[in-house]
Amino acid sequence: MRVGLTGGIGSGKSEVARRLTALGALVIDYDQLAHEVVAAGTPGLAAVVHAFGPTVLGPDGALDRAALAATVFADDGRRQTLNEIVHPLVRERAAALAAAAPADAVVVHDIPLLVENGLAPAFDAVVVVLSGTEVRVRRLVEQRGMSEPAARARMAAQASDADRLTAATHVLMNDGPLADLDSAVDALWADLRQYVAGR
Ligand code: ADP
């Protein structure tokens, strides 16, 4: 079963991914894959350097993420070029990981920009984690050390909850204690297992 998991920054998506892993899901972390495909020595990194020049490399030959971010920031064309290099490599890695899973596995694709990139139709179920704006800002400031303006800017650059809800087959509300989120994920897991058993 192919499950998409998404949620705005600070919503609790990573907590849900952790819990689903503990319950037995195979979680594929697209952020992690996006790092792996441009790791030192990869063809992906060579393509990035070819596109943007050696200034995006640090002295150790690894990608200088801050330099790359500065290069593509506020330039749609450059950002698109970067996406055209990274996205196919990530998709290829994710497909290989999913193909290696057993037939009855619940494979969860953890994708921050699932809705923004129009990927919902590719999944049997789309799980959206939702939290109120102020709760998310507080988490990002208190637990991730972001400044409040930076947290609000990141949130404003992402899809709205209304757009995420349109894509969702399952919604997890995460405004309460973590124990409540765990219970909601347990119920979700039971539902996903039932789907797999009924196929
Ligand atoms: P996301 O992956 O959606 O950006 P995280 O799952 O990393 O968000 O959550 C952001 C921060 O808030 C983390 O430090 C996480 O442990 C914390 N957090 C998430 N949900 C809750 C909750 N219900 N109660 C308290 N802290 C939470």
Side-chain angles (χ1 to χ4, degrees):
M1 175 183 197
R2 287 171 58 79
V3 179
L5 170 65
T6 195
I9 184 168
S11 63
K13 178 178 66 64
S14 302
E15 291 289 344
V16 171
R18 237 190 312 281
R19 181 78 182 161
L20 284 170
T21 301
L23 289 168
L26 170 64
V27 176
I28 300 177
D29 179 337
Y30 277 51
D31 263 352
Q32 187 187 327
L33 294 186
H35 277 68
E36 286 176 15
V37 299
V38 292
T42 58
L45 182 57
V48 169
V49 173
H50 181 73
F52 299 108
T55 54
V56 299
L57 285 179
D60 55 355
L63 186 62
D64 179 342
R65 290 185 174 279
L68 179 63
T71 299
V72 303
F73 182 73
D75 185 326
D76 287 347
R78 287 184 176 182
R79 204 164 44 242
Q80 192 180 338
T81 300
L82 179 62
N83 286 340
E84 282 167 4
I85 295 169
V86 172
H87 286 179
L89 294 170
V90 168
R91 271 201 300 276
E92 194 180 304
R93 283 282 297 144
L97 292 170
D104 66 347
V106 175
V107 181
V108 176
H109 298 252
D110 174 351
I111 310 179
L113 299 183
L114 185 152
V115 172
E116 289 82 346
N117 291 328
L119 301 176
F123 298 100
D124 300 312
V126 174
V127 178
V128 169
V129 187
L130 285 186
S131 297
T133 302
E134 297 311 312
V135 176
R136 291 165 65 196
V137 169
R138 198 169 61 238
R139 283 183 194 141
L140 294 173
V141 170
E142 289 176 2
Q143 304 192 38
R144 293 243 192 104
M146 288 175 81
S147 74
E148 187 175 328
R152 290 190 192 278
R154 284 289 294 275
M155 289 167 55
Q158 297 184 336
S160 68
D161 283 345
D163 287 343
R164 288 195 190 94
L165 276 174
T166 305
T169 60
H170 296 73
V171 176
L172 297 175
M173 287 303 304
N174 182 32
D175 282 334
L178 271 177
D180 288 2
L181 181 65
D182 283 351
S183 305
V185 178
D186 288 351
L188 166 71
W189 178 246
D191 203 50
L192 299 177
R193 293 299 305 164
Q194 207 162 24
Y195 178 98
V196 169
R199 272 194 312 191

